[in-house]
Amino acid sequence: MTSTQSTSRADKGRLPATAATHAPSVILVEPQLAENIGTTARAMMNCGLSDLRLVDPKEDWLSERALAASSGAERVLERARRFLTTEAALADLEIVYATTARRREMIKPVMTARAAAAQMRDEIGAGRRVGLLFGRERSGLTNHEVALANVVVEVPLNPEHSSLNLAQAVLIVGYEWFQAGYDGPQSVVTYNRTRPADKETLEGMFQHLEEELIICGFLRNDDKRPSMVINIRNMLQRAELTEQEVRTLRGIVKELRYGRRPDRPKRQPNNHIDDD
Ligand code: SAH
């Protein structure tokens, strides 16, 4: 640290010392409201970011209001460091992304948060130290501060109303950062105690249904029958039935055929019909 930085109020024991090098640092320039610092810490924690740097904050980041707004992300606030100038806060970083709501007349690449996130992943993967710079609530970043950065990041939004709340901007950029590294499933179906029916089980159900539809007369037209059977099969394939659902459907077909009639076949162990 240089002499322009004040000392850390951090509790260094709580987060892994390397955390900051695996994710971008977040630098807030002259944040005005303790609540915004707290909600920024919360957004950072949501997105796996931990290194918060505050340039001349106007309110105490460990005040009750900030801690309450952080809603469980106190450790980001406890580790936050205060700097006297933006230059000092960026000193140990190699690549800086300046986030702005307004287009600047500067010759500098302007990226969406999504494109920037993918690029930051590559850079951090290659061992570079990266920072995300955010401006003041009221007036954003000065052109001088934007000029300290390598890249400008603009979250594309309604051009008539594109300015985000500070912590919301941190959340969106952080979200894109997190998504760029997310390789989990995009959708999950929970089957509880059952499982998707296999093709043999479905075939048994189709044959059962088709036999009954012939008996009841629904498939009486020989010419139309093959295409009707294909339509019915396609319709039911799309339902992605579970084993339980196949049993229920077969139970329905049986019930429609026999109801309480005396010739109803007896329940057999290997032809179990379950109607729950
Ligand atoms: N009134 C200011 C906006 C301040 S919003 C202005 O006109 O510049 C506070 C900070 O949130 C901004 O400095 C920027 O860092 C970030 N921010 C807000 N909206 C953004 C957007 N659409 N894209 C990228 N960053 C944004």
Side-chain angles (χ1 to χ4, degrees), residues 99-102 134-138 140 153-155 162-164 169:
T99 63
T100 72
R102 280 176 290 130
F134 292 85
R136 300 154 188 84
E137 289 93 329
R138 214 160 293 141
V153 175
E154 263 181 35
V155 177
S162 66
S163 176
L164 290 156

Side-chain angles (χ1 to χ4, degrees), residues 14 40 58-60 65 85 112 122-123 126 130 141 157 165 171 181 190 194 199 249 257 267:
R14 298 247 201 123
T40 290
K58 300 304 172 199
E59 292 192 333
D60 184 0
R65 278 161 50 224
T85 64
T112 62
D122 289 345
E123 290 161 351
V130 177
L141 293 169
L157 290 165
N165 159 272
L171 179 62
T190 307
T194 185
K199 294 297 177 196
L249 253 178
R257 166 88 188 272
R267 187 177 276 232

